[in-house]
Amino acid sequence: MNLPLAKVSRVLTFSCVDGPGNRLVLFLQGCNFACLSCHNPHTMTVCNHCGVCVPACPQGALRLVDGKVSHDGQLCDDCDKCLDACPINSNPKVVEMSVGDVLALLKKNKPFLTGITVSGGEATTQLKFIKALFFVIKQSESLKDLTCLIDSNGYLPEHAWLDLLPVTDGVMLDIKAFDTSLHEALTGRPNARTLASARLLHAHGKLEELRFLLVPGKTDRPEEIRSLLQFTKELSADLPLRLNAFQHHGVRGEALEWPVMTEVSVEAIAALLRMGGLNHVTTPAVYL
Amino acid sequence: MPDVRVCFKEITEDPTLSFAQKARALALAAENSLEYPKLDTQTAEALEERVICDMYEGHAPYKPRYVLPDYSVVLTEGSSWLELAPATTLDEAINTLMIAYHHVPSVTNMPVFLGHLDALLLPFCDDVSDEALYSKIKLFWRYLDRVLPDAFMHANIGPTDNRVARTILKVDAELKQVAPNLTFIWDPQLSSEGILALACDCIIECSKPHIANHPIHTAVFGEEGYGIASCYNALPLGGGASTLTRLNLYEVARRSKDTEDFFATVLPHYIELNCQLTEVRIKHLFETSGFFDSFLVKEGWIHKDRFAAMFGVFSMAEAVNLLQEKEGRAGRYGHDDSANALGYRISEALAAAVTARPMAHVWRNRAMLHAQAGLSDDGGCTPGLRIPYGTEPDPVTHVQALAPQHQFYPSGVSDILTLDETVRNNRAALVQLVKGALSLGFREFTANIAHNDLVRVTGYMVRLSDIKRFQQCGGSRINTTVLGAEAAETGDILHRAPRVVAHEFTSR
Ligand code: SF4
Ligand code: SF4
């Protein structure tokens, strides 16, 4: 059988912001949105091996071998100059991992883990890999108590979700905006699929958390907040809703001109949503 | 004026010290004007060069460094010396403890061990309502912080889930005081998930308590028990530690040609010298000072044969990195498998040597290895076995790199994990990390949460706001602030994630 490989831009063995408990997080490379506000823009695109980043590396850690860029982890000091040099928001440090590689990592870190989260980029662009990985985890005696979560923008169509859900414990879903033209302006795509995904996942008991990024003057407007309240309440007043605050950390391009979201405004919106009847609204622990 | 008098004068006029702090500094200076107990030339030289170190404890040891009384004796039997009847109510029990603490010496002259408070107080709580318990504990806590303001003073609770332990965690999280320091003793068989969660909530609030690994400590100390005192010192209950001396592993590595020379010649040589230093100091305490004629022994609070000798080591990171360089290997301590393996080998050699060498007047006739957390003036040297400030990997990698070390250090080892604030929204992550670390053999788990005002400097707590105030205008109510301020200046602690840098007083 030909098992799929994943393009992984980063692995964390300790994360307390990607679902309940401590989670191993795989950041998969490549996204089907192009959010202006993205704080990990170098995860957006899969590398096309153009080689532009090679001379930008001060450590000589990058080389072109047979038309492919190769990265030497021993020489690299993670200065990220290559990310700045890449014209298409990609990353030459991406590694390919097999299901077996990830299982070995999980086993090594098992005593510390509540579960695994695949994030991105947009995780579901590597659907086959996720499905294979989660399937094997669920079959493994020593790993099956780990919860398997996905971090997603919800662009995945219904039939694909239905294929994935039997091996998935939950999905944390980002909604970028409720007004579809605003959504399109922010992400490059309309939001119908995302909203449909939220409903579908909730109906299957697999919607772990909704996330909403507050951007001043855009998604913090009263009509957006009203839609957010209404939409969440229609699903369930007990659904965990996490408010994120737009900050400049990691952001590139025109979004750097946007003002950042302050703690005071976030807390005010959270209070409004709680007053409106939502029982599980969380706000960021840190602003950076 | 002769030198000592200049020194006395400076102390009496130091505007940053309270009068109690001056009295203590004067006593130490007076003690240090005496001749040091007689050392042979090699030992004296090694001490002079600070390859081995006596923690600047003073020239005439007349009290053990750490005393861990069994307070249940005075609670149930009273004390004829102190004219106390056995306690019959919670008020009497707390009052007896408050009196008892004043008669327990230590290196800082303040008690370093307050007892297993839940086990001590529970028998008196049957008719006490939750509200009454809460308000009595709160007043007790306020008393401890204001009257005995030393963050080395350490209370223990657990492993069972009980009302007193829960109330203490609640009060401690609420008051966020520097003193007392607190350890929750965890045992997967005895501790409930609920109380562990509560302890983790308390860590998120104020970076306390430490979590101690009960099964591992019990394997060392057995039925007669142990306590966690000062910072991360696991010691026999009803006894303590006579002395703490320590070896600077970096200085040992510096004096070695290569790894072979280090293990074959230089390390064994300095281990022996440090043992001799220990013996000389203990001999004075046991044979000259008269300490053990105290009522504490007569009434059975402590036992002369339950005092350990702590054999401390520090600067493992610098030692390993230097030996790696001498071998032409690039890998650094904490990050590289060959460097970590060298670290384990050093610990193994230390443990074997210390266990093989008999010592008089010492619990079980052997010293106990201890990963020493540091002094406030250890500039350039990393405490104990820790990975140097600012280069620590993520918490999980950190724990995995250090866990195999813990088995070699029965009298305690401290690794401080610095966690970022995002953990506040996810207590389950902290619980998981605690369980992971303890299941891998960590003896104690200690975390600092970034941006808490209350942080650890090496094993004791300080308030960052106190340090700032101290640096601006001088003077602090709390003894450890002075140490924290020194540590902040020499140890880089405020530049990075919060942590603790130093231990008891340095001689200034
Ligand atoms: S981060 Fe990129 S540019 Fe920097 S050393 Fe590594 S490969 Fe080179
Ligand atoms: S990472 Fe970017 S710049 Fe480097 S080879 Fe790939 S596409 Fe080109």
Side-chain angles (χ1 to χ4, degrees):
Chain A
M1 191 170 62
N2 211 352
L3 278 176
L5 293 175
K7 291 189 192 316
V8 179
S9 72
R10 197 156 179 221
V11 182
L12 295 181
T13 50
F14 181 78
S15 165
C16 41
V17 294
D18 295 283
N22 179 40
R23 317 194 65 83
L24 186 131
V25 188
L26 287 186
F27 293 92
L28 303 187
Q29 184 74 8
C31 187
N32 41 22
F33 281 10
C35 298
L36 296 170
S37 62
C38 182
H39 59 274
N40 274 323
H42 56 272
T43 62
M44 278 184 189
T45 319
V46 174
C47 170
N48 64 15
H49 300 283
C50 71
V52 168
C53 57
V54 172
C57 174
Q59 303 299 326
L62 298 174
R63 284 184 308 145
L64 265 183
V65 187
D66 300 333
K68 293 218 159 190
V69 68
S70 88
H71 170 248
D72 183 338
Q74 292 291 3
L75 294 176
C76 173
D77 68 356
D78 278 313
C79 69
D80 286 351
K81 294 229 163 66
C82 51
L83 305 186
D84 296 334
C86 177
I88 62 161
N89 280 331
S90 186
N91 173 358
K93 296 187 279 180
V94 167
V95 291
E96 294 209 321
M97 290 179 84
S98 69
V99 169
D101 295 338
V102 179
L103 291 182
L105 262 184
L106 287 172
K107 287 196 173 130
K108 176 160 180 250
N109 295 288
K110 179 69 185 15
F112 298 90
L113 296 176
T114 314
I116 175 172
T117 298
V118 284
S119 182
E122 170 52 32
T124 60
T125 57
Q126 302 189 37
L127 191 64
K128 277 204 184 104
F129 175 81
I130 301 180
K131 206 181 138 193
L133 174 66
F134 286 3
F135 179 80
V136 182
I137 292 173
K138 301 278 171 214
Q139 298 298 310
S140 155
E141 265 319 301
S142 61
L143 298 176
K144 66 179 180 200
D145 57 325
L146 295 177
T147 51
C148 298
L149 301 182
I150 299 172
D151 211 346
S152 173
N153 62 21
Y155 196 67
L156 196 71
E158 175 170 346
H159 64 89
W161 279 125
L162 292 177
D163 198 25
L164 195 54
L165 284 186
V167 290
T168 303
D169 294 296
V171 178
M172 290 161 294
L173 194 81
D174 257 285
I175 298 182
K176 304 288 185 195
F178 284 90
D179 180 275
T180 194
S181 49
L182 176 62
H183 192 276
E184 212 164 331
L186 290 174
T187 69
R189 308 259 193 187
N191 66 5
R193 279 206 198 171
T194 302
L195 300 183
S197 292
R199 293 194 181 97
L200 174 83
L201 291 168
H202 181 69
H204 283 80
K206 297 281 168 90
L207 186 56
E208 180 81 22
E209 176 176 275
L210 269 190
R211 295 174 171 177
F212 191 74
L213 178 69
L214 293 166
V215 184
K218 300 185 167 29
T219 59
D220 72 339
R221 290 187 213 144
E223 55 276 23
E224 280 293 308
I225 302 304
R226 235 177 288 127
S227 309
L228 173 63
L229 175 62
Q230 205 182 351
F231 185 84
T232 313
K233 253 170 104 174
E234 271 170 27
L235 297 178
S236 158
D238 290 324
L239 188 69
L241 171 66
R242 176 183 297 263
L243 296 178
N244 288 324
F246 173 74
Q247 304 290 307
H248 286 163
H249 181 80
V251 170
R252 283 191 203 165
E254 72 164 272
L256 280 174
E257 323 259 296
W258 303 351
V260 301
M261 195 73 198
T262 64
E263 184 169 359
V264 181
S265 329
V266 174
E267 290 303 333
I269 290 170
L272 220 71
L273 293 168
R274 289 181 191 123
M275 243 158 44
L278 299 187
N279 297 325
H280 289 290
V281 182
T282 49
T283 54
V286 207
Y287 289 76
L288 37 82
Chain B
M1 269 191 293
D3 284 359
V4 282
R5 289 172 57 195
V6 173
C7 163
F8 292 165
K9 185 169 176 327
E10 276 173 8
I11 294 170
T12 61
E13 292 167 7
D14 188 336
T16 66
L17 298 177
S18 71
F19 57 80
Q21 287 163 339
K22 285 178 186 177
R24 151 128 177 78
L26 281 169
L28 188 63
E31 184 187 338
N32 286 345
S33 69
L34 300 174
E35 282 296 319
Y36 206 91
K38 184 113 192 68
L39 297 173
D40 66 274
T41 340
Q42 281 193 331
T43 311
E45 236 174 68
L47 179 61
E48 182 62 33
E49 293 169 15
R50 291 287 154 189
V51 188
I52 60 176
C53 172
D54 58 4
M55 304 295 293
Y56 307 93
E57 265 182 37
H59 291 188
Y62 59 93
K63 56 194 189 299
R65 183 177 179 89
Y66 300 124
V67 179
L68 284 75
D70 179 356
Y71 293 107
S72 69
V73 173
V74 60
L75 285 177
T76 56
E77 291 166 30
S79 162
S80 57
W81 176 263
L82 294 173
E83 300 178 41
L84 292 171
T88 56
T89 64
L90 182 59
D91 282 337
E92 285 178 9
I94 292 178
N95 188 255
T96 293
L97 288 176
M98 282 158 58
I99 294 168
Y101 296 151
H102 266 276
H103 298 273
V104 176
S106 80
V107 62
T108 63
N109 280 351
M110 302 213 196
V112 292
F113 179 67
L114 301 178
H116 299 99
L117 286 179
D118 51 353
L120 292 169
L121 297 179
L122 263 179
F124 304 97
C125 290
D126 287 351
D127 307 324
V128 181
S129 71
D130 287 348
E131 298 72 46
L133 180 60
Y134 169 77
S135 77
K136 286 176 205 294
I137 296 282
K138 204 164 168 178
L139 289 175
F140 183 36
W141 236 235
R142 188 173 75 178
Y143 161 85
L144 291 170
D145 181 72
R146 305 305 192 280
V147 177
L148 301 167
D150 188 329
F152 296 113
M153 183 175 69
H154 209 124
N156 294 190
I157 54 173
T160 62
D161 184 348
N162 61 71
R163 287 172 69 205
V164 175
R166 281 181 175 256
T167 309
I168 285 176
L169 287 171
K170 182 172 165 200
V171 167
D172 201 61
E174 212 174 289
L175 297 180
K176 299 183 178 55
Q177 295 175 162
V178 168
N181 210 334
L182 185 64
T183 284
F184 172 72
I185 293 170
W186 181 76
D187 184 333
Q189 304 296 322
L190 300 172
S191 312
S192 69
E193 289 290 317
I195 188 104
L196 180 61
L198 218 66
C200 287
D201 283 342
C202 195
I203 293 175
I204 288 172
E205 284 301 320
C206 61
S207 299
K208 286 193 275 177
H210 313 254
I211 314 269
N213 196 332
H214 191 51
I216 286 187
H217 287 304
T218 300
V220 175
F221 294 97
E223 284 291 296
E224 287 156 296
Y226 67 94
I228 307 290
S230 186
C231 44
Y232 327 103
N233 305 319
L235 293 167
L237 183 67
S242 298
T243 54
L244 167 57
T245 52
R246 59 177 192 158
L247 196 56
N248 183 334
L249 292 172
Y250 172 67
E251 290 297 328
V252 177
R254 246 172 31 101
R255 287 161 172 74
S256 311
K257 284 200 291 290
D258 51 25
T259 310
E260 187 44 41
D261 188 37
F262 177 87
F263 282 109
T265 316
V266 188
L267 183 63
H269 174 67
Y270 284 106
I271 290 176
E272 178 53 30
L273 296 187
N274 195 51
C275 286
Q276 288 179 24
L277 173 68
T278 309
E279 284 178 325
V280 165
R281 297 186 60 83
I282 289 181
K283 193 165 187 297
H284 185 277
L285 176 69
F286 274 74
E287 296 176 9
T288 317
S289 80
F291 173 81
F292 291 99
D293 301 331
S294 143
F295 80 96
L296 295 172
V297 179
K298 288 192 187 117
E299 294 188 0
W301 302 31
I302 56 175
H303 305 276
K304 199 175 173 179
D305 57 0
R306 289 185 60 76
F307 280 83
M310 296 172 70
F311 189 112
V313 299
F314 71 112
S315 211
M316 174 69 86
E318 288 76 18
V320 166
N321 289 342
L322 182 61
L323 291 175
Q324 286 283 96
E325 258 167 53
K326 292 191 181 198
E327 299 298 326
R329 288 192 296 255
R332 311 296 281 176
Y333 183 68
H335 300 268
D336 172 83
D337 288 345
S338 74
N340 291 346
L342 181 55
Y344 307 145
R345 196 178 151 202
I346 294 176
S347 293
E348 211 175 340
L350 282 160
V354 168
T355 339
R357 190 190 186 289
M359 213 179 259
H361 300 307
V362 163
W363 184 63
R364 293 184 181 169
N365 300 319
R366 295 291 187 278
M368 296 183 86
L369 205 54
H370 176 70
Q372 204 273 324
L375 276 168
S376 45
D377 74 346
D378 283 339
C381 285
T382 303
L385 313 175
R386 286 186 208 155
I387 300 170
Y389 302 144
T391 71
E392 303 98 323
D394 72 85
V396 170
T397 311
H398 194 154
V399 170
Q400 286 180 334
L402 291 173
Q405 290 279 17
H406 279 226
Q407 59 184 307
F408 299 115
Y409 296 87
S411 66
V413 42
S414 71
D415 293 307
I416 300 176
L417 297 175
T418 302
L419 305 179
D420 76 72
E421 277 180 291
T422 55
V423 83
R424 285 181 203 283
N425 279 340
N426 191 349
R427 175 233 278 158
L430 182 56
V431 172
Q432 189 72 52
L433 191 62
V434 170
K435 287 184 177 169
L438 297 181
S439 75
L440 252 62
F442 255 49
R443 306 185 95 87
E444 275 100 22
F445 177 94
T446 305
N448 266 345
I449 312 296
H451 296 275
N452 275 356
D453 186 33
L454 199 55
V455 303
R456 245 166 255 291
V457 179
T458 43
Y460 57 86
M461 312 295 297
V462 296
R463 276 199 190 117
L464 292 179
S465 49
D466 281 348
I467 292 190
K468 232 190 221 146
R469 224 176 300 132
F470 180 82
Q471 286 168 338
Q472 276 161 8
C473 57
S476 166
R477 185 175 64 74
I478 297 166
N479 278 344
T480 42
T481 304
V482 184
L483 304 178
E486 266 178 33
E489 276 157 24
T490 61
D492 252 10
I493 60 160
L494 299 182
H495 298 150
R496 55 170 320 280
R499 60 172 56 249
V500 182
V501 169
H503 221 241
E504 283 81 1
F505 280 83
T506 59
S507 69
R508 300 208 286 170

